[in-house]
Amino acid sequence: MSTVTTTQNNSRSATQQLVITALFVALTFVATMFINIRLPLMGNGGLIHLGNVPLFLAAMIYGRKTGALAGAFGMGMFDLISGWTAWAPFTFIIVGCMGYVVGLITEKWHAKPVVVNTVAVIAAILIKICGYYFAEVILYHNWIAPLGSIPGNIVQVGVAGIIVIPFVGRLKKIADKF
């Protein structure tokens, strides 16, 4: 009887994790698609969106796998649907790495949560800057033009961090109860 119960619990846990991941993919997509501002900057830095908010929540609350999938698929789908198709493979990898690293940092370090979450957001900023810089070098065949998108990338990820860090600890406690 305990084998059946264990199998049912594992199945329920896997289904619950799948639903949570799908929810955060959808939230990341929606926040990227509908909560954005286009800036008159060159390169990819011309779009500021709040898609990083659900991405960070997914990674900080549910871990690196959920964070990676939410970022890669949520923002990758945005690129495919919104006409930024050339960016989709880069976004899939870069933002997937952002979600993975944020989740990894917040899973592994158990110091003060605000410090750990801040370090995770800084790591995400660095991944975004470096990743999209080299993506733009590839797409634009220019080493100088991608510099114009760095301020927008910093603002985009930094604002998401400012929104998420103050309350993610409380949300994690609530999620842990379930």
Side-chain angles (χ1 to χ4, degrees), residues 124-148:
I125 288 172
L126 295 174
I127 292 167
K128 184 154 195 121
I129 289 170
C130 293
Y132 279 108
Y133 176 83
F134 287 109
E136 289 184 47
V137 166
I138 292 168
L139 291 172
Y140 298 151
H141 306 288
N142 185 315
W143 291 90
I144 304 300
L147 296 173

Side-chain angles (χ1 to χ4, degrees), residues 5-29:
T5 304
T6 303
T7 303
Q8 287 174 340
N9 287 340
N10 287 342
S11 177
R12 181 177 293 135
S13 176
T15 302
Q16 185 179 23
Q17 190 60 41
L18 179 65
V19 169
I20 288 167
T21 301
L23 174 67
F24 277 101
V25 167
L27 289 171
T28 302
F29 169 75

Side-chain angles (χ1 to χ4, degrees), residues 7 10 33 35-36 38 48 51-52 56 61 73 85-86 90 101 109 111 120 127 133 143 154 156 163 175:
T7 303
N10 287 342
M33 185 80 169
I35 308 172
N36 66 55
R38 291 191 187 263
I48 303 293
N52 292 300
F56 288 163
I61 295 171
F73 285 100
T85 309
F90 299 107
V101 169
W109 290 352
I127 292 167
Y133 176 83
W143 291 90
I154 292 170
Q156 184 183 111
I163 292 170

Side-chain angles (χ1 to χ4, degrees), residues 49-69:
H49 59 76
L50 291 183
N52 292 300
V53 171
L55 164 65
F56 288 163
L57 290 173
M60 291 175 182
I61 295 171
Y62 294 103
R64 58 187 163 203
K65 183 177 176 183
T66 302
L69 292 171

